[in-house]
Amino acid sequence: MIDMTSARTPRRTGRPGRPGYDLDSLLAVAVKVFNDKGYDGTSMDVLADRLGISKSSIYHHVAGKEELLELALNRALNALFAVTTEAGATEGPSIERLEYLVRRSVEILVAELPYVTLLLRVRGNSAVERRALARRREFDEFVSGLAVAAADEGDLAIGIDPHLLSRLLFGTVNSLIEWYRPRSSGSSTEIADAVVALTFDGLRRT
Amino acid sequence: MIDMTSARTPRRTGRPGRPGYDLDSLLAVAVKVFNDKGYDGTSMDVLADRLGISKSSIYHHVAGKEELLELALNRALNALFAVTTEAGATEGPSIERLEYLVRRSVEILVAELPYVTLLLRVRGNSAVERRALARRREFDEFVSGLAVAAADEGDLAIGIDPHLLSRLLFGTVNSLIEWYRPRSSGSSTEIADAVVALTFDGLRRT
């Protein structure tokens, strides 16, 4: 998905019509604009203006803004799904796998913040958005499955519907996009530790 | 804030220019439109069209859409702040007060879902929005204060910065707006029980 023939860092040539971005850096700017103005409120003209290049330079990389949206959503989704095949999520007691998944999801959210933010705002207004929502549901099913297995293994302290549990756990994780700022909010490890402590150990000393 | 001289239920007279809503029911429709289209994307023309009344009928109740926004945000904020003065939030061990606050906040979110949804999407684009954000911070301070007191009283099982704790706790609560549907998602008591079980007792059997 990345055009390796172009420069990896944003670079403007000053000549209109000449692409000055590779796909990766173009996508990074597009996602920022989508998050700021909303995807529906962002035209190719707005994108070209913000990138400082012509629309035809954008079309050199992608067929249109919907392809940019799909690339961005897939970047977030692929990172999340990659976790489900890691050893930490596939070996050992289910409660440990679940903790691993929560911890890694926090790390991915922090590392891919603009892309995950865009993903979490998708409402299903187009085929691309509906595919992304379907993959989110598939991810939720994986989490619910781990919750069911952890209950079967006798490792859950609380009785709670696994789908509700999955929603609340990832509600906690996903709420980070509302306030997390890379430079001031602490490392992803600190945040992941806090999320896991709250949801796995619980607040109350017993 | 409610015009008691008008009817309490939506009623259209069929005569343009004649107000057919009281302020309460007009506000309910306006908030739905703000949530659907975004506040910035909602003009008075759009509101009048959706209400099926003339703009002058709206101006009979409010000075403009910003007053509708402020009324709606205050409805959510006043409900949340009312909890902070209830006995459950002001008497007894701080850990119990904190649990009470979380539980009641879930109930208010469910009871006032469109108003809380609007509140949680405010980004500070105007004086009205900035006042709402300031009151949200004030509420967060109350929650953080309870977390500090609970730690001092030796009732917290985990070491976690009180501001981070407040953000994560209400991240869990607030994430409900993403999926909660009154008719299908269970009662507010069931959801509140689940949120409290997850965050106060924790998932893991020890």
Side-chain angles (χ1 to χ4, degrees):
Chain A
M1 288 187 298
I2 297 163
D3 179 357
M4 297 301 289
T5 60
S6 311
R8 297 282 304 198
T9 46
R11 173 175 57 84
R12 296 179 195 183
T13 62
R15 265 186 284 167
R18 177 92 180 278
Y21 291 85
D22 65 1
L23 181 54
D24 227 16
S25 55
L26 188 150
L27 192 58
V29 176
V31 167
K32 184 166 177 3
V33 181
F34 291 161
N35 283 333
D36 287 350
K37 302 177 80 76
Y39 173 73
D40 293 329
T42 305
S43 65
M44 286 295 281
D45 285 315
V46 166
L47 276 183
D49 185 57
R50 189 76 82 91
L51 287 156
I53 60 178
S54 67
K55 280 198 283 184
S56 66
S57 300
I58 304 178
Y59 289 123
H60 174 77
H61 294 287
V62 290
K65 72 168 186 163
E66 192 163 43
E67 188 176 341
L68 288 169
L69 177 65
E70 184 150 40
L71 288 169
L73 297 177
N74 282 341
R75 177 163 160 161
L77 285 161
N78 292 345
L80 287 169
F81 271 95
V83 174
T84 65
T85 63
E86 291 172 3
T90 55
E91 295 168 10
S94 298
I95 186 82
E96 301 297 332
R97 300 185 198 190
L98 195 56
E99 179 184 330
Y100 180 84
L101 204 72
V102 168
R103 187 176 289 282
R104 290 283 291 123
S105 297
V106 171
E107 289 169 2
I108 285 161
L109 185 143
V110 166
E112 306 286 347
L113 190 58
Y115 300 89
V116 177
T117 300
L118 189 66
L119 174 65
L120 295 177
R121 291 186 182 158
V122 156
R123 288 295 169 266
N125 296 331
S126 66
V128 165
E129 293 198 1
R130 284 188 290 277
R131 277 199 294 278
L133 288 181
R135 291 190 73 195
R136 276 193 67 187
R137 279 194 297 274
E138 203 187 322
F139 187 83
D140 288 346
E141 290 299 324
F142 186 84
V143 177
S144 303
L146 286 181
V148 170
D152 288 347
E153 292 161 22
D155 288 330
L156 285 202
I158 58 177
I160 180 172
D161 172 81
H163 285 95
L164 178 54
L165 174 57
S166 166
R167 279 178 158 156
L168 292 178
L169 264 181
F170 277 80
T172 314
V173 172
N174 294 341
S175 71
L176 297 178
I177 66 165
E178 300 297 334
W179 57 268
Y180 187 81
R181 296 296 169 267
R183 269 180 275 274
S184 58
S185 302
S187 72
S188 68
T189 306
E190 288 166 341
I191 306 292
D193 284 347
V195 169
V196 166
L198 177 64
T199 55
F200 282 74
D201 302 330
L203 270 186
R204 192 192 331 261
R205 185 183 300 280
T206 48
Chain B
M1 287 189 297
I2 297 162
D3 179 359
M4 299 300 289
T5 60
S6 310
R8 297 282 304 196
T9 46
R11 175 174 55 82
R12 297 181 196 182
T13 62
R15 264 186 287 165
R18 178 90 179 278
Y21 291 84
D22 66 359
L23 181 54
D24 227 15
S25 55
L26 188 149
L27 192 59
V29 176
V31 167
K32 186 167 175 3
V33 182
F34 292 160
N35 284 332
D36 287 349
K37 303 177 79 76
Y39 173 74
D40 292 329
T42 304
S43 64
M44 286 295 279
D45 284 316
V46 166
L47 276 183
D49 185 58
R50 190 76 83 91
L51 288 156
I53 60 177
S54 67
K55 281 198 282 186
S56 66
S57 299
I58 303 178
Y59 289 122
H60 174 78
H61 294 286
V62 289
K65 71 167 186 164
E66 192 162 44
E67 188 175 342
L68 288 168
L69 177 65
E70 183 150 40
L71 288 170
L73 297 177
N74 282 341
R75 176 162 160 164
L77 286 161
N78 292 345
L80 287 168
F81 271 94
V83 174
T84 65
T85 62
E86 291 172 4
T90 53
E91 294 168 10
S94 297
I95 186 82
E96 302 297 330
R97 299 185 197 189
L98 195 55
E99 178 183 332
Y100 180 85
L101 204 72
V102 167
R103 188 177 289 281
R104 290 283 291 122
S105 296
V106 171
E107 289 170 2
I108 285 162
L109 184 144
V110 166
E112 306 284 349
L113 190 57
Y115 300 89
V116 177
T117 299
L118 189 66
L119 175 65
L120 294 178
R121 291 187 182 157
V122 156
R123 289 293 169 267
N125 296 331
S126 65
V128 166
E129 294 199 0
R130 285 188 289 277
R131 276 199 294 278
L133 289 182
R135 289 189 75 195
R136 276 194 66 187
R137 279 193 296 275
E138 202 188 322
F139 187 82
D140 289 345
E141 291 298 324
F142 186 85
V143 177
S144 304
L146 285 181
V148 169
D152 287 347
E153 292 161 23
D155 288 330
L156 285 202
I158 58 177
I160 180 171
D161 172 81
H163 284 96
L164 178 55
L165 174 56
S166 166
R167 279 177 157 159
L168 293 178
L169 263 181
F170 277 80
T172 315
V173 172
N174 295 341
S175 71
L176 297 178
I177 66 163
E178 300 297 334
W179 57 267
Y180 187 81
R181 298 294 168 270
R183 269 180 275 273
S184 58
S185 303
S187 72
S188 67
T189 306
E190 287 166 341
I191 306 292
D193 284 348
V195 170
V196 166
L198 178 64
T199 54
F200 283 74
D201 302 331
L203 271 186
R204 193 192 329 262
R205 186 183 299 281
T206 48

